[in-house]
Amino acid sequence: MAIPSSFTITVPFLSSSKVHPISKSLSFSPSISFLSPPFPKSSSFTTLFRISSSNPSNPSPIDSSDSFAAPLPAGNRTLKSRLRNGDTLYGLFLLSFSPSLAEIAGLSGYDFVVVDMEHGYGGISDALPCLHALAAAQTPAILRIPESSAAWAKKALDLGPQGIMFPMIDSSKEAKKAVSYCRFPPAGVRGSAHPVVRASKYGIDEGYLTNYEDELLIICQVESEQAVKKIDEIMEVDGVDCIQMGPLDMSGSMGYLWDPGHKKVKEVMRKAEKAVLESKFENGGKGAFLAGFSMPHDGPIDMKRRGYQMISGTVDLGLFRSAAVEDVRKFRMSEMDGSDDEDRPLTHKEEDEEDKTCSFLSVQFLYVQTFSVLLSFFWSAETLHQGLAFDFSMHLVLHLHLGIGLDHVPSLVNVCLFSPSLPSEMLSNPGSLRSFGGHRSKIPFQFVSFLHLLCLLPYFTAARCGLKT
């Protein structure tokens, strides 16, 4: 079968900036290399609708607005340009490598998300779905690589993040190496596959080689006391855009791993912060930006006030852990309290009923206490105990007959508690109350009537006042 000298493919494209599809006819020569840009100069390109490049110097037939990649936010479109504009950026570290959590973080409004391959379990293939999710949420991604090496930097940068973070940079020599890993020869040693990798939109972005240095944010982490001593040299390296302070490793290098808020650790951290900020001020705003992690002893608001422009406020796993622990704690507390809505705010009706109940209990307590004092004064202990024993059964019947809740039955029991001479076995063994039944004939009728009247008086008062019983 003979190979035709040329062939034409007509396929529908869906423009990201338009609601209608665009039919594009592409004619190719069989000599095209698959590693070449997808639209070589020798190929013809026709569309049903004219598409012009927004950049006259860019010969690409595809307008940047028609790219399949998620559009950047309006205004300052890159992290680097926003920092230069004086913005303070607030972000999150992603250790779970969950695309869903990455997307939620982006939709929540974080300015950036750091996909952490140093302490997270994932690698390059795990990071890619997270970058897809962040692109869908129009949130810039930063990749932190496990170590400062050319191989890790190359694979990370080919994914197309807006920033790359190098851990444990302790000297200007290491900083220069880190920058060289991010630049193509002759400026650096980065290996090139730009016609086919995601960073260049798989070769569709023909301006990638021209713009990548200006758009990529290179972050060097200062995480040891040794690095702080060399911080002036590190931030003067051409290409270092951010100095990221590492409080945990800093405290570990100083022997205070369990106390990152130690006074000596704070002093070293403040020294490094001051060096970065003063250098930027002396150079008229040029130089490295100050970035860092918030800690329990050093919150993001305090960091912003001190001059940090990039602040990582939390970690996705830490957020989930805190939410899960708190959720379980609230449930266990509700089991102990017998209620699962202890934190639910009361309605106005419930507040009124609660106030009425408290008022009733106050009225009942006042009458019971007064009744106890009167009877203890005018009657002997023996007669009082006999009367209480007889009236307990009668009072219970009256409660049930009037339909009053059993939680308010022990009115006379309160009287008993106020009577210091009452035998303890009467309270510990309710059955012992029956032993007083034989003394009913010795109790004057007037005493029983007076007793009932005083016991029911709080309920009559509550009913008149509209209080809940």
Side-chain angles (χ1 to χ4, degrees):
M1 177 178 177
I3 300 177
S5 59
S6 65
F7 56 92
T8 301
I9 302 176
T10 302
V11 294
F13 282 76
L14 185 63
S15 171
S16 61
S17 61
K18 304 176 181 65
V19 295
H20 55 268
I22 300 175
S23 297
K24 299 182 180 180
S25 300
L26 311 179
S27 298
F28 294 97
S29 167
S31 61
I32 295 176
S33 169
F34 286 102
L35 289 178
S36 302
F39 304 106
K41 295 181 180 180
S42 61
S43 64
S44 63
F45 180 90
T46 60
T47 67
L48 295 180
F49 301 93
R50 181 175 179 272
I51 301 177
S52 60
S53 173
S54 59
N55 184 3
S57 62
N58 183 2
S60 173
I62 296 182
D63 195 310
S64 60
S65 63
D66 293 318
S67 169
F68 53 83
L72 292 169
N76 296 321
R77 294 185 175 274
T78 65
L79 294 175
K80 207 168 185 178
S81 63
R82 291 188 64 187
L83 288 170
R84 289 173 177 170
N85 195 46
D87 293 355
T88 300
L89 308 181
Y90 186 67
L92 168 142
F93 265 63
L94 189 81
L95 271 68
S96 67
F97 281 79
S98 166
S100 296
L101 293 183
E103 187 174 26
I104 291 172
L107 296 174
S108 298
Y110 286 105
D111 296 308
F112 64 90
V113 171
V114 179
V115 182
D116 189 3
M117 293 188 291
E118 182 185 14
H119 293 293
Y121 68 84
I124 294 297
S125 59
D126 302 297
L128 181 57
C130 297
L131 266 64
H132 288 157
L134 291 170
Q138 302 185 29
T139 303
I142 297 173
L143 289 180
R144 178 160 78 164
I145 57 179
E147 61 182 19
S148 181
S149 69
W152 272 108
K154 175 173 58 179
K155 293 181 74 67
L157 293 173
D158 283 350
L159 294 185
Q162 277 202 32
I164 184 170
M165 187 179 295
F166 292 90
M168 295 292 184
I169 300 299
D170 292 334
S171 66
S172 60
K173 181 179 180 180
E174 293 179 359
K176 290 177 181 178
K177 286 184 177 181
V179 173
S180 71
Y181 300 153
C182 301
R183 294 178 174 176
F184 295 114
V189 296
R190 178 182 172 186
S192 177
H194 62 89
V196 292
V197 296
R198 184 177 184 272
S200 64
K201 299 176 183 177
Y202 304 99
I204 295 176
D205 181 8
E206 293 188 357
Y208 174 71
L209 292 179
T210 304
N211 301 324
Y212 82 95
E213 284 190 25
D214 190 55
E215 294 177 352
L216 179 65
L217 190 70
I218 300 177
I219 306 170
C220 290
Q221 286 194 255
V222 171
E223 305 181 87
S224 67
E225 195 172 11
Q226 177 185 352
V228 173
K229 295 177 180 178
K230 302 290 184 65
I231 194 168
D232 291 329
E233 301 174 6
I234 294 173
M235 61 186 177
E236 288 177 1
V237 173
D238 180 43
V240 174
D241 299 308
C242 274
I243 297 295
Q244 174 90 18
M245 302 303 300
L248 288 178
D249 284 312
M250 181 73 72
S251 62
S253 71
M254 298 177 63
Y256 300 102
L257 181 60
W258 300 107
D259 187 13
H262 193 275
K263 180 180 178 180
K264 292 185 178 180
V265 179
K266 286 184 178 180
E267 290 176 354
V268 173
M269 292 283 290
R270 299 296 182 270
K271 178 181 177 181
E273 295 169 4
K274 183 179 179 181
V276 175
L277 296 174
E278 287 183 350
S279 174
K280 198 168 185 63
F281 177 78
E282 292 171 358
N283 292 318
K286 297 181 180 180
F289 301 97
L290 183 60
F293 305 92
S294 70
M295 299 290 289
H297 65 273
D298 192 14
I301 302 301
D302 294 331
M303 295 174 66
K304 179 180 178 180
R305 289 171 180 165
R306 294 203 307 274
Y308 279 84
Q309 277 193 253
M310 283 190 76
I311 303 170
S312 299
T314 188
V315 179
D316 62 333
L317 294 181
L319 279 178
F320 181 78
R321 174 208 61 208
S322 298
V325 170
E326 178 63 14
D327 182 60
V328 173
R329 185 196 68 80
K330 292 171 72 172
F331 179 76
R332 300 305 181 202
M333 292 297 293
S334 70
E335 285 185 323
M336 295 174 60
D337 297 340
S339 172
D340 59 354
D341 60 348
E342 59 177 354
D343 293 331
R344 179 178 62 84
L346 297 176
T347 63
H348 292 299
K349 183 178 180 181
E350 290 173 333
E351 288 178 350
D352 292 339
E353 292 181 350
E354 187 178 62
D355 292 340
K356 290 180 180 180
T357 302
C358 294
S359 300
F360 165 75
L361 293 176
S362 299
V363 172
Q364 186 188 47
F365 178 79
L366 176 61
Y367 276 97
V368 168
Q369 189 176 33
T370 305
F371 180 47
S372 173
V373 173
L374 288 175
L375 290 184
S376 298
F377 182 78
F378 288 107
W379 298 85
S380 65
E382 179 181 0
T383 306
L384 174 63
H385 297 159
Q386 293 171 2
L388 291 177
F390 169 75
D391 190 72
F392 186 87
S393 57
M394 296 296 294
H395 193 63
L396 178 60
V397 172
L398 289 175
H399 273 296
L400 295 177
H401 178 70
L402 293 176
I404 299 174
L406 289 176
D407 54 335
H408 292 136
V409 165
S411 301
L412 290 177
V413 174
N414 289 334
V415 177
C416 298
L417 293 176
F418 281 105
S419 179
S421 59
L422 188 66
S424 59
E425 61 268 13
M426 180 180 287
L427 296 179
S428 61
N429 183 13
S432 64
L433 293 174
R434 300 171 185 170
S435 63
F436 291 88
H439 299 282
R440 278 181 291 178
S441 59
K442 298 180 182 180
I443 303 175
F445 174 76
Q446 293 84 351
F447 170 75
V448 176
S449 301
F450 179 64
L451 188 66
H452 289 166
L453 178 62
L454 287 180
C455 290
L456 294 176
L457 190 57
Y459 297 97
F460 296 147
T461 304
R464 289 294 300 273
C465 298
L467 303 179
K468 183 181 177 183
T469 59

